Amino acid sequence: MPLVTRTLLLSLLLIGCVGALLPFRNVSLSWEERVDDLVSRLTLKEMVLQLGSGGGVTPNPEPAIPRLGIGVYQFDTECLHGVMNMKTTTFPQAIGLSASFSEEMVYLVAEAIGTEARAVNIDSVKHGDYRPFTGMSCLAPFMNLVRDPLWGRVQEVYSEDPYLSGLLAAAYVKGMQGPHPRYFRASSGCKVVGLYSGPENYPVSRFGFNAVASERDLRLSYFPQFKACIDAGTQNLMCSYYRTNGIPTCMNKWLLTDVMRKEYGFKGYYITDEGAIQVAVTGHHYYKTILEAVAAAANAGVNLELPGSNPPAFFQLTTAVEQGMVNVSTIVELVKPLFYTRMRLGEFDPPELNPYSNISTSVIEGEVHREIAVQAAIKTYVLLKNKDSILPLKSKIGKLAILGPLANNLGALYGNYNPVILPQYAKTPLQGLSTLASKVSYAPGCDDPFCKNYNSTDIKTFASSADVVIVCLGTDSRFEGEGADRRDLMLPGQQGQLLSDVTASSKRPVILLLFTGGPFDVAFAKDSDQVGAIIHCFFPGQATGDALLRVVAVDGSGSVVSPAGRSPYTWPKSLDQVPPMVNYSMEGRTYRYFKGPGQPLYPFGYGLSYAKFSYSNLVLNPTTVKAGGNVVVNVTVTNSGPYDSDEVIQVYINWPDCPVLMPKLQLVAVARQTIAVKYPSVVNLIIHAEQMRVWDDNKGFIYLPGLLNVYVGGQQPDQETSTGSNVLHGSINVVV
């Protein structure tokens, strides 16, 4: 007897007490038919309870509906780089993952997180535990752009580039949800739709801020990554605290319904940011009452409240219906996507049909996931400087000094929205690198990353007596994080003085490891001959020390893993190169619209490796392309050594004679590929048709006839700070 038939019969027997298999449990029906049947059986009160129980501060899960055999469900689960507040594997923070420039790596990380989220849920349900973060519906990835280096939440997002952000977000969604044609491993949700890229708390509060942007900037910069997320199948979008062009985002019908649903095809559910309903009243003063805000959010298309109060604001939807502010039919349609997602997770099907229903907690911190964490951390590291090839270290060190407030601060290395720290699976830089030397000296210099109290004695002593000095500087989520914008580009407290003391005391150039979310002013380190190497490590999580060991030194067999991460944002030399945070025009922002003055400290896409690469034999096919057609890019990449290494091949275009304003340069294709020494590799990439379109304020996206410049290399063209490899130039002619 076929499995489906057997399970149907079993289900009939199991629920024989109600006389028949209810249609919403009938696996032979379509998802739409099943959802319609389930929702048709709910009372208004039951639907409202579902819409208002998204977790948050209450922290109520979706309540059970016993008469239908429907159980409790928790929608509030954060999975940015691991399952938040759970004892699960911690992977590198999101901004570091974006520095990998690798869809494959992000997919593997998301796959592991989704597997662990499912395992946590199965175990929690067995024990009747429905707290926040025990569910399978993840509020990740975070899709907003790094448009200002001082924004506190830079660490949580995927770069300053909409194409790269969308590429990696799609990989995350697919990895999280899995390849099964019927069931999701876990569901993914992209946040935060609308304009939300700072401020948090400076120069104004996010709880009353109105972000204003032209439709050109929305379509070219702020929306594309969300469309990529929708195309990948994301199950939810979160709406932000801000007003978007004057209207609170969770009440912005044009954004939520007209653009995201009708134009981009979003079919999932909207969830508010925590307390966003109340913020529309108390912060923006846009509505006089919570009831008005609730009705506006429902009518704009919001399906689920992540409550910021108890009782939840959305519980007033019953009153809104009674007063004619919201139609019952609207409530019916709003609740459907919630149950669709739960169905796709397998909640209402026999478990033997679902390949994800038996995942055990043994996968958590298992060998496979721990190694993924190490590989991911390795791929995030960006080598910013390597004077005289000081790295990799090639011989056993006599005396090693590991200095600075981030050298042995495990909590700071995790970033925010992190799982529970499990020290038995984690290594700091000190713990990971101590095996390199016969004698290791360690001094933090400061009590914490704020470095308000600095003791220079041991710092100077250890630096002066060591054969190799490694300095670990940076921040933590208190200094740059949610609700914490930075005021300037300087390293915290007296960390700059600590670095100066080290370089003045050391007998030879030092190695600087930076653990930050955003860019900082490290011009001194870049220019100083006493700083031999700089690696930007971001917040690598539990594998920090193990990954560093594999990257900074040649092992006993003579091999080393070359760093090959690329900066996911532009490092400004000073704030003179950065427009005010509250200005949401893209003019002067990111590499796409950069105006200076001068060149940036480090450009977007920049990063060194231990190998030397060259590019040749660029072929564009076709060179004359009809509007709507793709262009295939073929290029040969050669590694002249001395080490095998990954290389990040980047393809950019621009529009030299465009009558409308477009980016001065735009990334349109990227591939991270291992290139062996002296074995040239032919790399194939595609410039997709839609990337050649321009935005016309009257007509929308259109194709214009004319020339497009194409640049292919390991970096942007014409950069003052260069990797040393060449960038090839070609052109294509678009025919309309």
Side-chain angles (χ1 to χ4, degrees):
M1 185 181 296
L3 177 61
V4 172
T5 304
R6 291 203 310 270
T7 53
L8 277 171
L9 290 173
L10 177 61
S11 297
L12 283 166
L13 291 171
L14 288 173
I15 64 171
C17 57
V18 298
L21 178 67
L22 294 176
F24 73 82
R25 294 187 182 275
N26 187 342
V27 297
S28 68
L29 297 179
S30 69
W31 297 116
E32 290 72 20
E33 290 172 313
R34 296 175 65 187
V35 169
D36 287 347
D37 176 75
L38 189 159
V39 174
S40 72
R41 299 173 185 277
L42 303 181
T43 65
L44 175 61
K45 180 180 179 180
E46 287 169 337
M47 289 188 285
V48 168
L49 285 173
Q50 297 293 314
L51 297 174
S53 301
V57 300
T58 49
N60 297 331
E62 302 287 290
I65 308 174
R67 66 185 181 84
L68 297 176
I70 295 173
V72 178
Y73 186 77
Q74 177 61 259
F75 273 106
D76 183 8
T77 299
E78 297 282 0
C79 307
L80 189 61
H81 57 124
V83 184
M84 181 178 170
N85 288 357
M86 295 289 118
K87 294 180 179 180
T88 57
T89 310
T90 303
F91 301 92
Q93 180 60 294
I95 193 64
L97 289 176
S98 73
S100 74
F101 276 58
S102 171
E103 294 174 85
E104 294 78 11
M105 193 71 255
V106 171
Y107 183 97
L108 287 174
V109 167
E111 183 178 51
I113 295 172
T115 300
E116 296 195 2
R118 171 71 74 159
V120 166
N121 177 257
I122 291 171
D123 186 65
S124 298
V125 170
K126 285 179 182 177
H127 294 90
D129 182 0
Y130 297 98
R131 293 172 297 162
F133 317 123
T134 61
M136 295 179 286
S137 295
C138 289
L139 303 175
F142 196 162
M143 295 310 307
N144 302 82
L145 299 181
V146 181
R147 52 173 282 283
D148 193 293
L150 303 184
W151 182 34
R153 302 187 77 173
V154 165
Q155 64 171 289
E156 299 176 47
V157 299
Y158 278 165
S159 89
E160 70 178 34
D161 182 75
Y163 167 74
L164 179 63
S165 295
L167 197 72
L168 300 181
Y172 185 99
V173 170
K174 293 173 183 177
M176 170 73 64
Q177 297 186 171
H180 196 273
R182 182 174 182 85
Y183 298 108
F184 298 140
R185 178 188 293 112
S187 67
S188 181
C190 299
K191 61 182 188 182
V192 181
V193 72
L195 299 172
Y196 186 76
S197 297
E200 293 290 305
N201 66 335
Y202 182 82
V204 296
S205 168
R206 61 179 174 167
F207 298 127
F209 179 63
N210 179 30
V212 178
S214 67
E215 188 160 4
R216 171 177 300 280
D217 284 340
L218 291 173
R219 299 292 184 161
L220 291 175
S221 297
Y222 294 115
F223 286 179
Q225 58 273 31
F226 286 97
K227 185 176 187 305
C229 224
I230 290 167
D231 290 344
T234 187
Q235 289 299 291
N236 76 73
L237 296 175
M238 177 180 280
C239 50
S240 81
Y241 290 121
Y242 291 177
R243 277 172 286 158
T244 294
N245 286 343
I247 302 172
T249 304
C250 291
M251 295 81 181
N252 193 320
K253 186 174 182 292
W254 172 80
L255 172 66
L256 303 186
T257 297
D258 296 345
V259 176
M260 296 294 158
R261 285 204 187 278
K262 294 181 179 179
E263 189 175 337
Y264 290 175
F266 175 56
K267 307 219 180 268
Y269 61 90
Y270 282 107
I271 183 170
T272 70
D273 208 335
E274 187 175 294
I277 302 293
Q278 290 85 354
V279 166
V281 178
T282 61
H284 296 295
H285 306 290
Y286 196 86
Y287 302 98
K288 292 182 179 179
T289 67
I290 296 295
L291 180 62
E292 291 175 317
V294 164
N299 288 324
V302 173
N303 308 84
L304 183 63
E305 181 191 6
L306 187 61
S309 65
N310 195 2
F314 255 27
F315 282 5
Q316 296 190 37
L317 279 169
T318 303
T319 303
V321 170
E322 292 170 349
Q323 295 186 10
M325 302 170 73
V326 178
N327 293 327
V328 173
S329 60
T330 298
I331 301 296
V332 169
E333 293 305 311
L334 290 178
V335 81
K336 285 181 180 180
L338 304 181
F339 283 107
Y340 173 82
T341 297
R342 291 171 68 173
M343 282 189 182
R344 293 296 303 273
L345 288 163
E347 182 177 345
F348 305 113
D349 288 8
E352 57 266 33
L353 289 181
N354 185 349
Y356 306 123
S357 64
N358 292 313
I359 297 174
S360 77
T361 54
S362 64
V363 301
I364 296 173
E365 290 287 14
E367 184 178 351
V368 172
H369 288 187
R370 294 201 309 272
E371 181 59 22
I372 290 173
V374 173
Q375 292 300 323
I378 287 170
K379 290 185 183 296
T380 68
Y381 294 157
V382 180
L383 183 62
L384 296 173
K385 179 180 180 180
N386 196 21
K387 181 178 171 60
D388 298 328
S389 297
I390 188 174
L391 292 178
L393 302 172
K394 302 174 183 66
S395 58
K396 185 73 173 181
I397 301 166
K399 295 180 180 179
L400 171 65
I402 302 178
L403 310 174
L406 275 294
N408 201 37
N409 186 330
L410 195 57
L413 303 172
Y414 273 56
N416 61 7
Y417 283 81
N418 58 287
V420 172
I421 295 173
L422 302 173
Q424 66 269 37
Y425 298 116
K427 285 186 181 178
T428 63
L430 176 65
Q431 293 167 329
L433 299 177
S434 290
T435 59
L436 294 176
S438 302
K439 180 179 180 181
V440 177
S441 300
Y442 159 66
C446 315
D447 296 332
D448 57 35
F450 285 88
C451 204
K452 292 180 179 179
N453 301 309
Y454 169 49
N455 184 341
S456 65
T457 303
D458 286 345
I459 294 291
K460 293 178 180 178
T461 299
F462 294 160
S464 64
S465 61
D467 300 310
V468 173
V469 178
I470 297 176
V471 187
C472 303
L473 303 180
T475 66
D476 62 17
S477 294
R478 297 170 300 168
F479 191 88
E480 49 169 340
E482 184 170 10
D485 294 317
R486 290 152 52 200
R487 305 301 192 265
D488 54 46
L489 293 171
M490 305 305 294
L491 287 166
Q494 298 190 65
Q495 287 193 32
Q497 183 60 52
L498 187 157
L499 180 60
S500 294
D501 289 345
V502 171
T503 57
S505 304
S506 176
K507 296 177 289 188
R508 52 183 55 83
V510 305
I511 298 162
L512 172 61
L513 305 180
L514 285 173
F515 299 90
T516 72
F520 282 73
D521 182 0
V522 292
F524 166 77
K526 179 186 178 185
D527 296 336
S528 172
D529 289 339
Q530 276 300 101
V531 177
I534 306 172
I535 300 178
H536 192 201
C537 304
F538 305 96
F539 298 122
Q542 68 179 53
T544 300
D546 285 330
L548 281 170
L549 181 62
R550 298 191 198 184
V551 166
V552 304
V554 175
D555 65 18
S557 66
S559 63
V560 68
V561 180
S562 173
R566 297 293 187 267
S567 180
Y569 44 63
T570 302
W571 290 58
K573 281 185 177 177
S574 71
L575 288 180
D576 293 338
Q577 297 178 335
V578 182
M581 187 184 289
V582 295
N583 178 2
Y584 263 71
S585 168
M586 288 302 295
E587 182 179 1
R589 292 194 183 280
T590 76
Y591 80 94
R592 299 165 66 236
Y593 298 97
F594 186 82
K595 295 178 68 174
Q599 292 271 342
L601 187 68
Y602 294 109
F604 168 85
Y606 170 83
L608 303 171
S609 73
Y610 298 153
K612 301 297 181 184
F613 294 101
S614 61
Y615 288 75
S616 60
N617 303 325
L618 175 62
V619 177
L620 305 174
N621 185 27
T623 53
T624 298
V625 59
K626 188 175 181 180
N630 298 337
V631 174
V632 177
V633 178
N634 294 313
V635 67
T636 300
V637 185
T638 302
N639 179 356
S640 58
Y643 298 101
D644 295 346
S645 175
D646 283 3
E647 170 69 333
V648 177
I649 300 96
Q650 303 166 47
V651 180
Y652 296 89
I653 65 171
N654 66 17
W655 298 259
D657 300 309
C658 189
V660 297
L661 178 64
M662 290 295 289
K664 68 175 191 175
L665 200 64
Q666 176 62 60
L667 182 71
V668 292
V670 65
R672 180 167 179 150
Q673 188 164 320
T674 302
I675 311 293
V677 176
K678 297 181 180 179
Y679 286 92
S681 180
V682 177
V683 180
N684 302 305
L685 306 100
I686 297 175
I687 303 173
H688 291 281
E690 60 268 21
Q691 296 168 308
M692 294 179 263
R693 299 179 303 174
V694 302
W695 176 261
D696 182 279
D697 288 332
N698 299 312
K699 300 176 182 178
F701 280 110
I702 61 172
Y703 293 96
L704 290 179
L707 191 71
L708 289 179
N709 288 316
V710 180
Y711 302 93
V712 183
Q715 59 188 338
Q716 293 181 52
D718 305 320
Q719 294 300 305
E720 180 179 273
T721 301
S722 170
T723 64
S725 65
N726 61 319
V727 176
L728 302 178
H729 172 247
S731 61
I732 52 179
N733 187 40
V734 178
V735 178
V736 178

